[in-house]
Amino acid sequence: IMSDYSTRTGQQPNVGLVIGAGGASRAALYAMHKAGIQTVYLINRTLATAEKVRDDFKSVFEVTVIPSLAKLPKHPDVIVGTVPAETTTENQFSTIFGPRGLCIDMSYKPRQTPLLSVAQRHQGWHTVTGVDVLLAQAYDQFYLWTGCEPPREKIIEAVARHELERAKG
């Protein structure tokens, strides 16, 4: 997703922010490293947990733990949220967006999260929902397991049907 963004925009992101320090944060941090992002920040409500994640990566690349979003040294070019959306509010994210970038929220319930809502109010920011992340993962897994190109349209239709059925109750 990050390399697609770089290709589409012609911009190489240099600063990344990962919100949360659970399992998904590790994937986000590593993806930022692989995408060539030079400065990577990590924030978590429990500082010790973020420091443990930072220490786990120290032999591969540097992660800077920040104690709060208010202390973010630079505006990120890429933001990845990895915490459940219901634990966040739009107000938390009001100051973190610079002029442009990519915002990915790994949370997929609800699809429209507080983080994505704030990003979408900032012109120049592209957003990716947690459902889109899961779809990208599904496409890659389908190809790895079968050696065939995934039937993307059918997968998207199945997800849309499932979401519609869940909304009906």
Side-chain angles (χ1 to χ4, degrees):
I1 292 174
M2 284 186 244
S3 62
D4 288 346
Y5 168 77
S6 295
T7 301
R8 256 191 350 262
T9 64
Q11 303 286 328
Q12 170 58 44
N14 293 312
V15 180
L17 169 66
V18 175
I19 302 168
S25 73
R26 294 169 184 274
L29 290 164
Y30 189 71
M32 286 186 182
H33 169 68
K34 292 300 283 184
I37 295 174
Q38 298 300 309
T39 303
V40 179
Y41 298 115
L42 174 63
I43 184 167
N44 192 60
R45 65 181 172 172
T46 307
L47 196 59
T49 304
E51 290 168 343
K52 165 91 171 80
V53 171
R54 174 200 61 203
D55 293 347
D56 288 347
F57 281 106
K58 70 182 173 190
S59 67
V60 182
F61 62 97
E62 184 178 336
V63 174
T64 302
V65 173
I66 57 171
S68 73
L69 290 174
K71 299 203 185 273
L72 189 61
K74 298 178 188 174
H75 285 295
D77 305 307
V78 177
I79 298 170
V80 180
T82 69
V83 298
E86 66 268 10
T87 66
T88 65
T89 66
E90 290 184 18
N91 287 340
Q92 290 174 270
F93 308 119
S94 62
T95 62
I96 64 174
F97 292 92
R100 67 179 160 270
L102 173 65
C103 181
I104 303 167
D105 201 331
M106 302 291 280
S107 185
Y108 52 88
K109 290 181 184 178
R111 186 184 281 226
Q112 184 64 30
T113 66
L115 177 62
L116 294 175
S117 293
V118 175
Q120 289 161 353
R121 288 197 294 268
H122 287 81
Q123 189 174 6
W125 277 82
H126 299 271
T127 58
V128 178
T129 70
V131 172
D132 292 327
V133 172
L134 290 174
L135 285 170
Q137 180 181 349
Y139 303 149
D140 288 346
Q141 287 175 333
F142 186 94
Y143 182 78
L144 289 171
W145 290 342
T146 67
C148 301
E149 284 301 314
R152 292 174 189 254
E153 292 302 318
K154 288 183 180 183
I155 293 171
I156 292 169
E157 288 170 15
V159 169
R161 254 191 330 274
H162 176 74
E163 286 184 323
L164 187 60
E165 289 169 9
R166 291 197 78 203
K168 289 179 181 176

